[in-house]
């Protein structure tokens, strides 16, 4: 079978790109190894408000909108961030992945479940499948097959994406504990550059998780200790455990070769500070769809190189800022973090964060904190001396 574009992976990003291309009238095929899309859940399902601009999100899949966050320091000093409108949504992520794949199919894409790609041939665009299934052919191949992408490994001659581990529990606290307007984020030097999230699903239930540079076993233990040692939580029951991996954003990663491009987690298109990949993946799906349709129209795969340059240009400032913020956080001790929270409160930063803070674009807030000189006041002295080296 020959397609204009063949997409490996019916994750949310691959399906979104498939729909965009099918809408333009191209012959689109999606090859997915799973029999049930989106299962198992490997996500906190938290999407910043930009989701409404970058993709379709049916309201029936929104579990809860959030109007702000409580940010907790290691010794539980708290900063409260408040917005007038929903800043983020927690969604039914399995339902969302399935919705996006169905939408792609309704728009005209062919979806092949239980088809696992084992190899591909650059230039002639032939995809080889496991278990002797019939090969497919695409004028352009899009690797949207997640952090462990076969396509990415092929494109970089065997190199794998670097990843961080993530662990998450669905917890029933057995009593009403949460204001549904707020998520909770806990800073802790021992999991830095990661952090712990607590995302209320109802007044008594939450997704509690973290990502970090440790193995799954340690992260699980860490999460359990976190729950056990917080007196406010009391007796709780674990409803379910999840784990997954988050690719580490790599600004130098090659995401185009011949007639093949990478998209989403496969391309490490993930925000460094939060590990969130959906909003960025959806924005990149739009760029990919603009460039790949141009390449198809002109029958010229050289044009695909513009995908990489456009992606780098669009995200350069934001991702550079996030990498720097991450580098600074990684160097802070629990004491430093507590100091920082105290200073931020003294400097009235809750209002500034409430005004300028945004889940998906963090550069404007950092710029504002610099402009007001707050960055140099909040970072411990030792760090402000060395900030010029860290901020490189
Ligand atoms: C614990 C955790 C919490 C997270 N929380 C958030 C969050 O709150 N917000 C957020 O924005 N992001 C979050 N993320 C990140 C987010 O889940 C990913 O960025 C997102 O899933 C990337 O989508 P994707 O379509 O690129 O890849 P994936 O969702 O990984 O989809 C890839 C698809 O490709 C298929 N596939 C893989 N290999 C093959 C093959 N060889 N042949 C055929 N098919 C194949 C897979 O089966 C899968 O369906 C979280 C991640 C983790 C691990």
């Amino acid at each position: 079978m020959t397609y204009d574009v063949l997409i490996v992976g019916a994750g949310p990003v691959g399906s979104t790109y498939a729909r965009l291309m099918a809408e333009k009238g191209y012959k689109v095929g999606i090859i997915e190894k799973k029999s049930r899309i989106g299962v198992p859940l490997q996500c906190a399902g938290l999407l910043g408000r930009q989701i409404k601009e970058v993709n379709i999100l049916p309201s029936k899949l929104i579990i809860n909108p959030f109007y702000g966050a409580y940010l907790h320091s290691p010794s539980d000093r708290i900063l409260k961030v408040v917005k007038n409108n929903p800043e983020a949504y927690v969604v039914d992520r399995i339902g969302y992945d399935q919705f996006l794949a169905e939408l792609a199919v309704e728009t005209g894409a062919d979806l092949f479940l239980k088809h696992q790609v084992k190899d591909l041939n650059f230039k002639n665009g032939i995809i080889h499948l496991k278990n002797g299934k019939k090969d497919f052919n695409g004028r352009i191949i899009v690797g949207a097959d997640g952090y462990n992408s076969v396509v990415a490994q092929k494109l970089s001659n065997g190199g794998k994406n670097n990843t961080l581990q993530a662990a998450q529990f669905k917890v029933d606290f057995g009593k009403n504990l949460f204001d549904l307007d707020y998520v909770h984020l806990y800073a802790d030097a021992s999991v830095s550059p990661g952090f712990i999230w607590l995302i209320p699903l109802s007044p008594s239930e939450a997704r509690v998780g973290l990502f970090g540079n440790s193995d799954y076993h340690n992260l699980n233990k860490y999460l359990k200790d976190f729950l056990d040692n917080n007196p406010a939580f009391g007796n709780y029951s674990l409803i379910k455990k999840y784990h997954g991996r988050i690719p580490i954003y790599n600004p130098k990663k090659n995401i185009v070769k011949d007639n093949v491009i990478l998209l989403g987690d496969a391309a490490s298109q993930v925000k460094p500070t939060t590990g969130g990949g959906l909003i960025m993946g959806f924005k990149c799906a739009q760029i990919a769809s603009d460039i790949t349709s141009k390449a198809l129209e002109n029958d010229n795969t050289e044009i695909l190189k513009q995908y990489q340059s456009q992606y780098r240009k669009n995200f350069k400032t934001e991702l550079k800022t996030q990498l720097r913020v991450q580098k600074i956080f990684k160097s802070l001790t629990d004491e430093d973090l507590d100091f920082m929270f105290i200073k931020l409160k003294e400097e009235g930063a809750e209002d500034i964060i409430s005004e300028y803070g945004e889940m998906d674009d963090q550069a404007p807030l950092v710029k504002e904190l610099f402009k007001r000189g707050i960055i140099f006041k909040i970072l411990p002295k030792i760090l402000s001396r060395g900030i010029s080296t860290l901020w490189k």
Side-chain angles (χ1 to χ4, degrees):
M1 265 168 282
T2 301
Y3 285 89
D4 290 323
V5 280
L6 261 186
I7 299 144
V8 185
V13 181
S15 294
T16 297
Y17 168 80
R19 182 207 11 118
L20 293 171
M21 290 304 281
E23 275 170 359
K24 292 178 178 164
Y26 291 107
K27 193 166 160 50
V28 178
I30 320 173
I31 302 175
E32 168 57 51
K33 69 177 177 186
K34 291 179 182 170
S35 56
R36 262 190 84 206
I37 285 170
V39 181
L41 175 70
Q42 290 179 323
C43 186
L46 190 67
L47 302 177
R49 65 175 167 80
Q50 287 188 18
I51 184 63
K52 302 262 180 168
E53 294 151 31
V54 300
N55 213 334
I56 302 162
L57 172 62
S59 39
K60 65 172 190 230
L61 294 174
I62 297 177
I63 299 170
N64 193 28
F66 294 108
Y67 289 78
Y70 287 100
L71 311 177
H72 301 253
S73 83
S75 66
D76 216 20
R77 293 173 190 279
I78 295 173
L79 297 172
K80 187 176 177 185
V81 179
V82 187
K83 299 276 184 180
N84 293 328
N85 296 305
E87 177 61 18
Y89 305 90
V90 60
V91 304
D92 164 3
R93 170 69 200 266
I94 295 178
Y96 195 34
D97 285 18
Q98 292 172 351
F99 165 80
L100 292 172
E102 277 159 24
L103 202 58
V105 171
E106 278 166 24
T107 317
D110 292 338
L111 171 63
F112 300 90
L113 294 174
K114 292 198 263 181
H115 279 60
Q116 181 166 359
V117 172
K118 72 164 190 230
D119 201 0
L120 64 143
N121 196 321
F122 283 70
K123 294 204 167 120
N124 72 9
I126 294 178
I127 280 190
H128 305 287
L129 298 167
K130 257 193 162 166
N131 305 330
K133 289 205 166 94
K134 203 166 174 293
D135 293 343
F136 285 75
N137 192 296
R139 289 171 66 197
I140 290 175
I141 291 173
V142 178
D145 45 343
Y147 73 86
N148 200 20
S149 164
V150 171
V151 184
Q153 286 171 47
K154 192 79 188 162
L155 193 140
S156 62
N157 297 323
K160 285 197 169 196
N161 279 329
N162 289 326
T163 55
L164 294 171
Q165 291 268 11
Q168 182 173 264
F169 299 160
K170 185 174 176 191
V171 185
D172 181 356
F173 292 90
K175 58 187 171 192
N176 289 351
L177 277 180
F178 308 116
D179 178 342
L180 290 181
D181 283 349
Y182 298 93
V183 293
H184 295 258
L185 303 176
Y186 299 83
D188 188 322
S190 51
V191 292
S192 214
F195 56 88
I196 296 178
W197 61 80
L198 187 152
I199 301 171
L201 301 170
S202 75
S204 61
E205 278 186 4
R207 289 180 184 153
V208 187
L210 83 169
F211 70 96
N213 205 357
S214 184
D215 64 24
Y216 175 55
H217 174 79
N218 279 339
L219 292 186
N220 249 326
K221 185 174 171 320
Y222 193 86
L223 215 45
K224 192 143 185 330
D225 288 348
F226 166 75
L227 290 167
D228 290 342
N229 295 331
N230 192 325
F233 295 152
N235 287 331
Y236 63 88
S237 350
L238 286 188
I239 304 175
K240 213 163 174 139
K241 287 183 177 181
Y242 311 91
H243 88 277
R245 281 178 182 268
I246 293 179
I248 298 174
Y249 163 67
N250 173 1
K252 297 202 175 113
K253 190 175 175 67
N254 253 337
I255 56 171
V256 178
K257 186 176 172 190
D258 299 328
N259 62 338
V260 179
I261 68 163
L262 301 176
L263 184 60
D265 273 15
S268 84
Q269 287 163 340
V270 169
K271 286 177 292 172
T273 49
T274 65
L278 289 178
I279 302 279
M280 194 169 159
F282 295 150
K283 287 180 181 173
C284 291
Q286 184 65 60
I287 302 172
S289 125
D290 293 345
I291 305 289
T292 50
S293 41
K294 210 156 98 182
L296 288 167
E297 255 168 54
N298 292 284
D299 199 15
N300 180 0
T301 51
E302 276 294 301
I303 290 175
L304 293 180
K305 289 184 183 147
Q306 293 173 20
Y307 165 59
Q308 176 157 309
S309 47
Q310 189 65 44
Y311 154 65
R312 287 189 178 163
K313 188 167 155 235
N314 285 18
F315 292 96
K316 195 172 150 202
T317 310
E318 177 61 28
L319 292 176
K320 216 166 151 187
T321 305
Q322 288 199 20
L323 281 176
R324 287 164 167 175
V325 168
Q326 193 191 41
K327 203 166 159 188
I328 288 178
F329 266 88
K330 225 170 149 178
S331 72
L332 298 178
T333 62
D334 277 348
E335 242 181 9
D336 293 334
L337 286 165
D338 279 323
F339 175 86
M340 198 172 113
F341 271 67
I342 294 168
K343 282 283 167 197
L344 276 169
K345 194 136 193 147
E346 278 173 18
E347 295 295 326
E350 280 169 317
D351 291 342
I352 302 169
I353 303 173
S354 297
E355 188 176 347
Y356 293 92
E358 216 219 287
M359 258 181 76
D360 293 292
D361 284 327
Q362 294 156 16
L365 172 64
V366 173
K367 201 170 150 204
E368 193 58 29
L369 291 174
F370 259 116
K371 207 169 98 190
R372 298 187 188 214
I374 293 178
I375 288 276
F376 294 97
K377 290 183 191 154
I378 59 172
L379 290 175
K381 283 194 189 85
I382 183 171
L383 207 75
S384 52
R385 281 201 299 273
I387 196 160
S388 55
T389 49
L390 280 167
W391 200 256
K392 268 184 187 159

